[in-house]
Amino acid sequence: QVQLVESGGGLVQAGGSLRLSCAASGSIISIDVMGWYRQAPGKQRELVAGIGSGGSTNYADSVKGRFTVTRDNAKNTVDLQMNSLKPEDTAVYYCNIVAVVPGAGTLRVYNYYWGQGTQVTVSS
C-alpha cells in the first residue's frame, strides 16, 4: 500500500507563486522518479516536472525557468515551486512516483502511483 498526499494548491493571481508538496507513505523500499503532472479540462495530462533519484530534473518547456521541482529522499517528498504563474497554468496537478515496493515473497517490483490531485487556479 502506497499513498500520495498533495497539498498547496489554491487560487492565485497571475504573477503569483504557489508551492505544491507531495508526501509518499506506505510500503516503499525506494523511489525512483518523482514528478508532477497537470491536466486542464479537455486536455491531456502532461508532465510538468520530474526529478530522478539522483536529482536530475526535466521540465515542460512551458514552465521552464518558472517552476522548480525538488525532492527529499529522507522524507519521501517532492515539491513543486511555481513562480510567475499564468492563467494557462490552471489545472489539476497530480503527484506521481515510480517506486520499488515489496512484491510476492521477497521480490521487489516497480510500480507507479498517483496522488488525488490538487487544484491550481490562476486568475488574471
Side-chain angles (χ1 to χ4, degrees), residues 6-124:
E6 300 129 323
S7 62
L11 173 65
V12 297
Q13 291 186 326
S17 297
L18 284 174
R19 188 176 184 89
L20 305 183
S21 295
C22 174
S25 62
S27 300
I28 300 170
I29 296 172
S30 63
I31 299 176
D32 187 4
V33 177
M34 308 183 80
W36 290 92
Y37 290 71
R38 68 186 181 189
Q39 188 167 22
K43 295 185 178 180
Q44 292 283 307
R45 187 173 298 187
E46 64 172 346
L47 174 68
V48 178
I51 183 166
S53 60
S56 61
T57 58
N58 187 48
Y59 297 93
D61 288 341
S62 60
V63 308
K64 202 167 297 181
R66 299 187 296 120
F67 292 9
T68 302
V69 63
T70 56
R71 65 188 285 170
D72 187 328
N73 293 327
K75 297 180 180 179
N76 285 345
T77 59
V78 57
D79 290 358
L80 184 68
Q81 178 66 46
M82 304 185 294
N83 298 326
S84 302
L85 283 162
K86 304 174 180 179
E88 50 263 46
D89 294 319
T90 296
V92 177
Y93 284 69
Y94 297 90
C95 179
N96 172 263
I97 69 167
V98 177
V100 179
V101 299
T106 60
L107 293 177
R108 298 176 176 184
V109 298
Y110 283 89
N111 280 329
Y112 64 90
Y113 301 91
W114 292 97
Q116 291 296 305
T118 184
Q119 178 70 48
V120 171
T121 302
V122 184
S123 65
S124 58

